[in-house]
Amino acid sequence: MMREINASIPFDKRMWQQDLRGSKAHVAMLGRQGIVGADDAATISAGLDQVAEEFAANGVPEDLALEDIHMLSESRLAATIGPVAGRLHTARSRNDQVATDFRLWVRDAIDQADAALGALQDALLARAEQHADSVMPGFTHLQVAQPVTLGHHLMAYFEMFARDRSRLKDARARMNLCPLGSAALAGTGFNLDREATAHALGFDGPTRNSLDSVSDRDFALDYLTAAAQCSLHLSRLAEEFVIWASQPFGFVALSDQWSTGSSIMPQKRNPDAAELVRGHSGRISGALVSLMMTMKGLPLAYSKDMQDDKPPVFEAHDLLGLSIAAMTGMVESATFRLERMRAAAEAGFSTATDLADWLVREGGIPFREAHHITGRAVAKAEADGIRLDQLPIAALQEIDARIDERVYGVLSVDASVNSRTSFGGTAPSRVRAAIAAARKGREEE
Ligand code: ARG
């Protein structure tokens, strides 16, 4: 069982491209520095290309005896070009090799997540633009609070994903240094050009401390932190769709593409994809905790525990990619049931704050008292089974004589949203401006 517990090839074979790329940069540098003869370096480099072709065509063989992708690539290289392959690993250890491969892999994962989130933002922008003045209830405590627009609500998620992308960008900038050349832990006596390998691999430069280089997995944790936080946002959006798609709400009809039928109840259309996005966020957060627990007690430098860094990162990447794609599809294809949203906003006395604000503004009444008067108006409307704007003026004046006809100008849900013109507010004019600014930002990226 030693072979089974020791081997990482079943999962780290996913890094084969990064591994070969790192090796090519390494051997090119060894050749230029005269550490390996120019001819040998050229042979090795061409051999690595052949191995890449082989892996691309046939996949990576899962040979547990070869332990990991690094040993496996080298053994395929030896099978291809013979004993000269043995010169590749000069001035290198699997410790700096894996640290480099994994950074390259995580960097790609960051770029993919960033692009996918950009597409999700575009989907949100398009739907927000369509619905910049579609009224829906805004909630606190999941109780109808004040009317907002659907465009404003969707743009809230645009902001969350903008922050997620900024976190990914931070993580990318911080991780973009190359550990290759740190060797096993102490550096090497060979005259390496670490700047050259770093730049060949798209890094900003080499890492500064060899011990730290081979034992640092902060870059993976930074990625997982950003991924976990992003998954929380995806989960919240997914939860909105689950709630909105429920019959009592009926705010949205999910497309067939992003929902499933029930095998027994023909009337049902279940939001499975949204539920899975919600579920996956738990697993992505679990991946972060998993790697934190792996790292927390490790002395310098490399310990084999660190081989356990990859499964959680790979899993988080896969689940995040699926979740972003699913939410993008749902946002793009959902049918919003605007009449239901409007009716819910109107049914919930959502303009009560507008009445209180009007009393303050027009009647000079202190807000606390205005709040109390409004409470009585809501109670009266509720008792009569009507909306606030359907209360006759006589009924309102019976509650407080200072109320006059002008109050009807603020009691409708449209008047309410139109009045929320403060920066960042839900007034359609503001929402349109926010969308325009966001679009400009996307174009300038
Ligand atoms: N498969 C190993 C990992 O993923 C590579 C490094 C092995 N280094 C060693 N000294 N055993 O971490």
Side-chain angles (χ1 to χ4, degrees), residues 209-398:
N209 179 294
S210 62
L211 289 167
D212 180 47
S213 302
V214 297
S215 66
D216 166 33
R217 293 295 181 272
D218 289 8
F219 63 90
L221 287 167
D222 278 352
Y223 164 67
L224 287 174
T225 304
Q229 201 147 358
C230 177
S231 82
L232 303 184
H233 295 149
L234 291 163
S235 178
R236 293 180 72 179
L237 180 57
E239 171 67 359
E240 305 255 30
F241 274 93
V242 171
I243 294 173
W244 292 359
S246 71
Q247 283 81 354
F249 266 79
F251 284 7
V252 75
L254 293 174
S255 62
D256 288 341
Q257 201 191 345
W258 292 104
S259 57
T260 58
S262 160
S263 49
I264 179 161
M265 294 163 283
Q267 84 283 12
K268 290 193 74 184
R269 191 187 266 182
N270 295 325
D272 297 49
E275 293 169 288
L276 285 163
V277 170
R278 195 175 57 188
H280 287 352
S281 78
R283 292 170 64 191
I284 294 171
S285 305
L288 167 62
V289 175
S290 166
L291 185 53
M292 289 198 292
M293 294 306 102
T294 296
M295 295 306 296
K296 73 177 174 59
L298 300 186
L300 294 181
Y302 178 87
S303 297
K304 196 65 175 259
D305 315 43
M306 291 165 73
Q307 182 165 283
D308 280 343
D309 56 2
K310 284 160 220 82
V313 168
F314 293 162
E315 178 174 61
H317 166 77
D318 293 344
L319 296 176
L320 188 69
L322 283 170
S323 300
I324 298 170
M327 289 323 300
T328 305
M330 267 180 265
V331 168
E332 279 170 350
S333 62
T335 305
F336 294 111
R337 300 177 61 191
L338 306 180
E339 71 300 341
R340 296 274 307 186
M341 291 187 170
R342 171 175 284 271
E346 287 175 337
F349 308 107
S350 63
T351 58
T353 317
D354 298 274
L355 172 55
D357 287 350
W358 185 87
L359 290 166
V360 170
R361 216 170 39 242
E362 303 299 330
I365 300 170
F367 182 76
R368 286 293 167 213
E369 193 190 340
H371 185 275
H372 180 72
I373 294 165
T374 304
R376 292 176 56 205
V378 168
K380 171 76 177 147
E382 197 164 25
D384 293 356
I386 54 177
R387 302 192 310 255
L388 269 184
D389 64 345
Q390 291 170 327
L391 279 173
I393 189 65
L396 285 167
Q397 284 174 341
E398 200 170 302

Side-chain angles (χ1 to χ4, degrees), residues 170-191:
D170 288 349
R172 194 190 199 287
R174 198 176 302 110
M175 66 165 279
N176 206 31
L177 296 174
C178 184
L180 198 59
S182 301
L185 74 165
T188 170
F190 289 99
N191 176 31

